[in-house]
Amino acid sequence: MIVKQEKIYQDKEIYKILNPWVRKWFKSNFETFTQSQKQALLDIHHGSNLLVSSPTGSGKTLTAFLSIISQLTTLADMGKLEDKVYCIYISPLKALDNDIEKNLDEPLKEIEKIAGKELGIRKAVRTGDTSQYQRSLMLKKPPHILITTPETLSILLCAPKFRDKLKDVKYVIVDEIHSLADNKRGVHLNLTLERLQNLAGPFTRIGLSATVYPLEKMARYLVGYQDGEVRDCKIVDVNYLKKLDMKVLCPVEDIVESDPDETNNALYEMLHGLIKSHKTTLIFTNTRSGTESVVFNLKKRFPDHYHQNNIMAHHSSLSKELRLEAENKLKDGALKVVVSSTSLELGIDIGYIDLVILVSSPKSVSRALQRIGRSGHRLHEKSKGRIIVVDRDDLLECSLILKNAVEGNIDKINIPENCLDVLSQHIYGMAIESPWDINDAYSLIRRSYCYRKLSENDFVSVLSYLAGEYTSLEDRYVYAKIWVDYPEKRFGKRGKLARMLYSTNIGTIPDRSAARVKCGGQVVGRIEEDFMEKLQKGDTFVLGGNIYRFNYARGMTVNVTPSSGPPTIPSWFSEQLPLSFDLAVEIQKFRDIMDGKFRYGRTREEITDFIHQYLYVDQNAAHSIYHYFREQYLYAQIPGLKNLLIEFYTGFGNRKFVVFHSLFGRRVNDALSRAVAYIIAKKYRRDVMISVSDNGFYLSSEGKIGGLEAFKELKSENLEDILVKAIDKTETLAGRFRHCAGRSLMILRRYKGQEKSVSRQQVKGKILLKFVKDLDENFSILKEARREVMEDYMDLKNAKKVLKLVEEGKMDLKQIDTRIPSPFAFNLVAQGYLDVLKYEDRIEFIRRMHQAIIREIGG
Amino acid sequence: MKSKTIMDLNQIYGAKIMDLALIVDNYMVISDLHLGYEQSLNADGIMVPKFQYPLIKARMEEIIKRSTCQRIIVNGDLKHEFGRISRQEWNEALNFLEFLEKHFKEIILIKGNHDNFTRFIAKKTDLEVLETFSLENFRIMHGHKIPSHLTRGEGETIIIGHEHPCIGLRSGERLEKIKCFLKTKYNGFNLIVMPSFNFVTEGSDILQERPLSPFLKGNPKKMEVIGVENFEIFPFGDIKNITAVKNDDNH
């Protein structure tokens, strides 16, 4: 059962269970226990599973470790500390692992000093960076506290000798669990924990999480299931403790009227002003290119204030050395400002930050809180965050983020389930451990939260794939990774290289095809392959806040020289964060309220006062929002949760456009738009262009498209079937298929001692997909790629919810015709990204194109 | 455009296009089969199963059915691996040569850049591997290098492979690649570039990528593109025109 731990223990009670030396150490360092420690320590001591949700700076780490250290100290004192691992700490980042190891150093040393004798409690970090030598040391003298990453832990489970050292693990701590649970790394870890439990027997699971909703789901994810019932877990929630000082700022008085240049200038003036009046500022942008551009512009516009030594960028495309330099400079207080995309969101130690600025909407309430929580690192100190908006849609979005953050409404977390590619890795790993009974393996897998509903069919399809049954019998020796004996219900590993293949190829983070950028022989960063392809000799671009000129590319290395002047290529492709569904619904509700105000003829004053109060924004912002809605109301009508507005207009060359004002976030719109486009394409037998954004989507075609009729054909029951067909020929599916094939070990990154280049894999991914489709519609990797596209990349579940609203009559469909796009449609039309739904047969398409070209030439 | 008869449309310098093959007199020419490609992918850690060979054979049977040629020329790159002969290559290449023997009186193998070891396979079937082959006015060679004895040509036609040409047709966001023949000139010779006879990829897009073959270095001024797709022939005219149309087509 999952229960909330409301009980707050007295200091006295807690001291009673602590080892006297540890107690003494604690008393000499702290006055009292933090809230989370008061609620958690006794339960950990008694071996209860526990999920602790609290903001950074609230002593979370010590909450997790204190009672464990105490028990290890007692064991050491009695001379009973054995050469084995007692506690495993897992975090998503190597940097965080290293921080934790350092943070444990002091208490362990001091406790030893107090004890007056050698206790010999060992701790060690083990990641992909750990040298062969260190690893062999760990085997001889295993750390009592093992600090590691999800990937390394699953490799250790298959390490023949080290595996033995894990047989008595008593505690597992998962830090930053929220950042793992919503993606495949978390799915992977989830099953790893069950495999560990199978080896070590029950252990205490401790999860440390930032603010997420619902915590109960996160707890289920942490503890898993036993015999179909969720295991016991207590939840400690101390989120209300940290105070928020959060504001939305408009760089200009009226963001509706100002032109982009003006807004941009004002944005940098505002940034500069804020940075000047604080000690250290952390700026978050949503993309890596945005990060680059902010650093570049601050340096360019205020050369007297910002230079190489006091401003740095920090994002995942930069080299490890540059990122480490930024982190260290931050810790030393040497930087005035650091600009990051997502890489500084997690709890690595970055010293004292007194202001966090978010440039443009972070797209979800929880992300906003996570980012802003990076400031004011001590408990009881306010977290100070400012969100600067860049346009009117941004203003509205950020205002609702502010409202919901202040009122404590956080977006729901999404945890992927039944991922068959991750399952392939695990079954392979299990086979390497030992031969298995098929049923035993199936029940072990279903103990994991992410696989609790795994069907037997899917499980068997993965076994069949791993056994190479998709190839001819005579070729199977090349492809089969395991043997399966169906009559005897057993499976096991095949091939001498199995363990090596497994340990060098597992993991869930796809290899991005990134090219190294070299300047004067030194690697200065990485750029994505798509971007590299766009570069032509002489182009200049920004990387790490500096400008470089592109000279030439050789393989996956790009040669550049430092340059100056404005970059010729403004940015590189970077995945924009999608707007969270829950936040989208909040915005829609606000639109409904505003619609009502205008309909009932409320005065300008009444409405702006309402906005000011309801959204906690200043008068300027309230005026801008008022104007934006008024324009839309007068020109067309205000769409919302009760009214789905569908707008028709004719563009260039008589091209027909139909805009759906479905503000449900890009993931939902992606699903809806492709399904509608598919219906249209089939009906009118022609290709349909799709453009998707957070605020809606539009379709366009060379002739009539009947968008409304097509949308009406879409039902919550038929959406999934239509979508499967609609994504069939897309680049998205091909790309995801390659990733899934990589995770399923159909494409091996490292094979026969060589690392394979990603660009080679990329081309081959397409070939693979082409082949696999002919092979079997239900091939497990193909099925997973489809699931990933529909459920993780898109949001099928909530798209169905939207269709349900229409079916139940809660949302009306309203059609209007406009000459030019309405104000709300404006950004949507300008910012969406394009794709095409191919309907025409390849041969029809070729014939048509041939005719068109011949007509042009022949005249 | 001048009106052309159907005859003209599938002819290049007197050679007849038959899907991915070219027919010269009583000879059928095919090029760039790259047998054994999958095994080389496997060695790269990409566990794609074998799928090409049955497709190649089936297409070949289709072509044979529609022609009366007695002789076949494989214009280079019968197999894929540079350095050695993989197990798959042995099996498929021998099987393919047997298949050709059944349908043709004579088999001529031209050496491609991937064919360092093809002679061993050829020996098994008592065949030779030639650098070039001459046939009336036609000189057939793989095209990865220019033979030293090749002087200025007059009225003669060179047929090469190696390039794997295709063209990308783009409409809006949609892109489809289609295999094609190229008709151009080289140093006084007529030049025909053949598409590849394999189904792994369509080839390299001549509108985008730089040519590989020394015969095409410096991009010939005039180059006609003839697309082929499943026995249909699509003469696109000169490459410059296609590029011009594409630049217009920006709406």
Side-chain angles (χ1 to χ4, degrees), chain A residues 90-101:
Chain A
I90 304 152
S91 93
L93 296 175
K94 290 173 194 167
L96 196 51
D97 281 353
N98 293 331
D99 281 351
I100 291 295
E101 205 224 344

PDB file of all heavy atoms in Angstrom, chain A residues 90-101:
ATOM      1  N   ILE A  90      21.930   5.650  -6.801  1.00  0.00           N
ATOM      2  CA  ILE A  90      21.854   5.797  -8.262  1.00  0.00           C
ATOM      3  C   ILE A  90      21.378   7.203  -8.612  1.00  0.00           C
ATOM      4  O   ILE A  90      20.365   7.662  -8.098  1.00  0.00           O
ATOM      5  CB  ILE A  90      20.841   4.798  -8.860  1.00  0.00           C
ATOM      6  CG1 ILE A  90      21.203   3.372  -8.456  1.00  0.00           C
ATOM      7  CG2 ILE A  90      20.782   4.914 -10.380  1.00  0.00           C
ATOM      8  CD1 ILE A  90      19.995   2.457  -8.404  1.00  0.00           C
ATOM      9  N   SER A  91      22.101   7.880  -9.490  1.00  0.00           N
ATOM     10  CA  SER A  91      21.635   9.183  -9.967  1.00  0.00           C
ATOM     11  C   SER A  91      21.755   9.220 -11.484  1.00  0.00           C
ATOM     12  O   SER A  91      22.495   8.441 -12.069  1.00  0.00           O
ATOM     13  CB  SER A  91      22.465  10.307  -9.349  1.00  0.00           C
ATOM     14  OG  SER A  91      23.543  10.636 -10.203  1.00  0.00           O
ATOM     15  N   PRO A  92      21.029  10.136 -12.114  1.00  0.00           N
ATOM     16  CA  PRO A  92      21.084  10.176 -13.576  1.00  0.00           C
ATOM     17  C   PRO A  92      22.387  10.740 -14.132  1.00  0.00           C
ATOM     18  O   PRO A  92      22.658  10.577 -15.315  1.00  0.00           O
ATOM     19  CB  PRO A  92      19.900  11.070 -13.959  1.00  0.00           C
ATOM     20  CG  PRO A  92      19.535  11.836 -12.742  1.00  0.00           C
ATOM     21  CD  PRO A  92      19.999  11.035 -11.566  1.00  0.00           C
ATOM     22  N   LEU A  93      23.178  11.410 -13.303  1.00  0.00           N
ATOM     23  CA  LEU A  93      24.361  12.096 -13.831  1.00  0.00           C
ATOM     24  C   LEU A  93      25.645  11.665 -13.142  1.00  0.00           C
ATOM     25  O   LEU A  93      25.696  11.559 -11.923  1.00  0.00           O
ATOM     26  CB  LEU A  93      24.233  13.616 -13.621  1.00  0.00           C
ATOM     27  CG  LEU A  93      23.125  14.356 -14.335  1.00  0.00           C
ATOM     28  CD1 LEU A  93      23.112  15.798 -13.875  1.00  0.00           C
ATOM     29  CD2 LEU A  93      23.332  14.278 -15.830  1.00  0.00           C
ATOM     30  N   LYS A  94      26.688  11.483 -13.935  1.00  0.00           N
ATOM     31  CA  LYS A  94      28.002  11.178 -13.359  1.00  0.00           C
ATOM     32  C   LYS A  94      28.464  12.313 -12.461  1.00  0.00           C
ATOM     33  O   LYS A  94      29.052  12.093 -11.404  1.00  0.00           O
ATOM     34  CB  LYS A  94      29.031  10.990 -14.473  1.00  0.00           C
ATOM     35  CG  LYS A  94      28.833   9.734 -15.285  1.00  0.00           C
ATOM     36  CD  LYS A  94      29.804   9.719 -16.468  1.00  0.00           C
ATOM     37  CE  LYS A  94      29.400   8.653 -17.478  1.00  0.00           C
ATOM     38  NZ  LYS A  94      30.129   8.824 -18.749  1.00  0.00           N
ATOM     39  N   ALA A  95      28.168  13.553 -12.903  1.00  0.00           N
ATOM     40  CA  ALA A  95      28.588  14.720 -12.122  1.00  0.00           C
ATOM     41  C   ALA A  95      27.950  14.702 -10.736  1.00  0.00           C
ATOM     42  O   ALA A  95      28.588  15.032  -9.740  1.00  0.00           O
ATOM     43  CB  ALA A  95      28.206  16.003 -12.855  1.00  0.00           C
ATOM     44  N   LEU A  96      26.692  14.281 -10.700  1.00  0.00           N
ATOM     45  CA  LEU A  96      25.986  14.215  -9.424  1.00  0.00           C
ATOM     46  C   LEU A  96      26.594  13.114  -8.553  1.00  0.00           C
ATOM     47  O   LEU A  96      26.759  13.277  -7.341  1.00  0.00           O
ATOM     48  CB  LEU A  96      24.502  13.942  -9.703  1.00  0.00           C
ATOM     49  CG  LEU A  96      23.507  14.187  -8.581  1.00  0.00           C
ATOM     50  CD1 LEU A  96      23.688  15.573  -7.992  1.00  0.00           C
ATOM     51  CD2 LEU A  96      22.088  14.048  -9.132  1.00  0.00           C
ATOM     52  N   ASP A  97      26.937  12.000  -9.176  1.00  0.00           N
ATOM     53  CA  ASP A  97      27.616  10.918  -8.451  1.00  0.00           C
ATOM     54  C   ASP A  97      28.884  11.427  -7.781  1.00  0.00           C
ATOM     55  O   ASP A  97      29.140  11.146  -6.614  1.00  0.00           O
ATOM     56  CB  ASP A  97      27.989   9.781  -9.427  1.00  0.00           C
ATOM     57  CG  ASP A  97      26.798   8.900  -9.752  1.00  0.00           C
ATOM     58  OD1 ASP A  97      25.734   9.083  -9.131  1.00  0.00           O
ATOM     59  OD2 ASP A  97      26.932   8.024 -10.611  1.00  0.00           O
ATOM     60  N   ASN A  98      29.663  12.170  -8.541  1.00  0.00           N
ATOM     61  CA  ASN A  98      30.921  12.681  -7.991  1.00  0.00           C
ATOM     62  C   ASN A  98      30.682  13.649  -6.839  1.00  0.00           C
ATOM     63  O   ASN A  98      31.403  13.623  -5.843  1.00  0.00           O
ATOM     64  CB  ASN A  98      31.750  13.356  -9.095  1.00  0.00           C
ATOM     65  CG  ASN A  98      32.226  12.348 -10.129  1.00  0.00           C
ATOM     66  OD1 ASN A  98      32.431  11.170  -9.818  1.00  0.00           O
ATOM     67  ND2 ASN A  98      32.375  12.791 -11.372  1.00  0.00           N
ATOM     68  N   ASP A  99      29.658  14.491  -6.991  1.00  0.00           N
ATOM     69  CA  ASP A  99      29.300  15.411  -5.898  1.00  0.00           C
ATOM     70  C   ASP A  99      28.951  14.640  -4.636  1.00  0.00           C
ATOM     71  O   ASP A  99      29.392  14.984  -3.539  1.00  0.00           O
ATOM     72  CB  ASP A  99      28.074  16.256  -6.285  1.00  0.00           C
ATOM     73  CG  ASP A  99      28.460  17.408  -7.201  1.00  0.00           C
ATOM     74  OD1 ASP A  99      29.677  17.636  -7.384  1.00  0.00           O
ATOM     75  OD2 ASP A  99      27.546  18.063  -7.721  1.00  0.00           O
ATOM     76  N   ILE A 100      28.129  13.602  -4.790  1.00  0.00           N
ATOM     77  CA  ILE A 100      27.662  12.841  -3.633  1.00  0.00           C
ATOM     78  C   ILE A 100      28.841  12.179  -2.932  1.00  0.00           C
ATOM     79  O   ILE A 100      28.952  12.171  -1.709  1.00  0.00           O
ATOM     80  CB  ILE A 100      26.631  11.767  -4.080  1.00  0.00           C
ATOM     81  CG1 ILE A 100      25.336  12.440  -4.542  1.00  0.00           C
ATOM     82  CG2 ILE A 100      26.349  10.773  -2.963  1.00  0.00           C
ATOM     83  CD1 ILE A 100      24.580  13.175  -3.464  1.00  0.00           C
ATOM     84  N   GLU A 101      29.752  11.652  -3.728  1.00  0.00           N
ATOM     85  CA  GLU A 101      30.904  11.001  -3.113  1.00  0.00           C
ATOM     86  C   GLU A 101      31.687  11.985  -2.250  1.00  0.00           C
ATOM     87  O   GLU A 101      32.068  11.680  -1.128  1.00  0.00           O
ATOM     88  CB  GLU A 101      31.822  10.401  -4.186  1.00  0.00           C
ATOM     89  CG  GLU A 101      32.634   9.241  -3.638  1.00  0.00           C
ATOM     90  CD  GLU A 101      34.083   9.274  -4.045  1.00  0.00           C
ATOM     91  OE1 GLU A 101      34.420  10.005  -4.987  1.00  0.00           O
ATOM     92  OE2 GLU A 101      34.880   8.572  -3.396  1.00  0.00           O
TER      93      GLU A 101
END
